[in-house]
Amino acid sequence: MSDPLDKISAVLPGRWDFDALRAGAGVTVVFAVPFFVFAALLDSDNNGTNRLLFFGFVLGFTLGAGCAAWVQRAGAPFSHGIVTASGTFLVVQAILILVALVRGSTINWLSIFFTLTFVAFAGLMGGILGNRLQRRGFVPSQRRRR
């Protein structure tokens, strides 16, 4: 059975570094998604707690997007950062929406789209940071000459 990403790579050759996107998504899942899920489960009215969780959430998405932008080899760090952050957010959000629908909870669509704008901005900031790392000569360990 063939990988669907191979088909996409055939249509868009050289545009996307799927290994970089996977790496960035993995970092995002580890660092941002726990804040996101914990905030959804906590549903706190405490503004201090909400701000702290949201800050950790945005920082995690920036870190994951920066990782994708840094390790990508396609020459498009900003695109890789934005796609990594936004794509990971949308996948996690889709799962949470399904859970909410099964539970019979209401879904605040405006909040989802508002948060997506912050995530896309975090992806852009991660793209900028990853680009700066590449320009300064910092190289991921798997590309270093031995």
Side-chain angles (χ1 to χ4, degrees):
M1 194 161 73
S2 67
D3 186 13
L5 293 179
D6 291 337
K7 292 178 184 176
I8 295 170
S9 294
V11 175
L12 299 170
R15 175 69 176 133
W16 299 106
D17 183 343
F18 290 105
D19 291 333
L21 293 174
R22 281 188 208 109
V27 170
T28 301
V29 166
V30 169
F31 288 102
V33 172
F35 288 103
F36 185 59
V37 172
F38 187 64
L41 294 175
L42 185 64
D43 196 24
S44 173
D45 288 335
N46 183 344
N47 282 336
T49 302
N50 289 340
R51 286 184 190 132
L52 180 65
L53 291 173
F54 191 74
F55 178 73
F57 166 77
V58 171
L59 191 63
F61 274 98
T62 304
L63 185 64
C67 175
W70 180 44
V71 300
Q72 60 82 32
R73 296 179 185 190
F78 305 123
S79 298
H80 280 75
I82 293 170
V83 167
T84 297
S86 300
T88 306
F89 172 78
L90 290 173
V91 168
V92 171
Q93 190 62 54
I95 293 168
L96 290 176
I97 288 170
L98 287 174
V99 169
L101 289 174
V102 168
R103 292 177 61 197
S105 303
T106 60
I107 299 169
N108 187 347
W109 295 103
L110 183 62
S111 174
I112 292 169
F113 291 116
F114 179 76
T115 306
L116 180 59
T117 60
F118 273 98
V119 168
F121 183 73
L124 177 62
M125 293 297 104
I128 290 170
L129 293 173
N131 186 36
R132 292 194 72 177
L133 283 172
Q134 282 185 345
R135 285 185 167 198
R136 291 183 185 247
F138 291 103
V139 181
S141 60
Q142 63 263 56
R143 282 197 252 157
R144 288 188 191 138
R145 293 184 186 185
R146 298 182 197 270

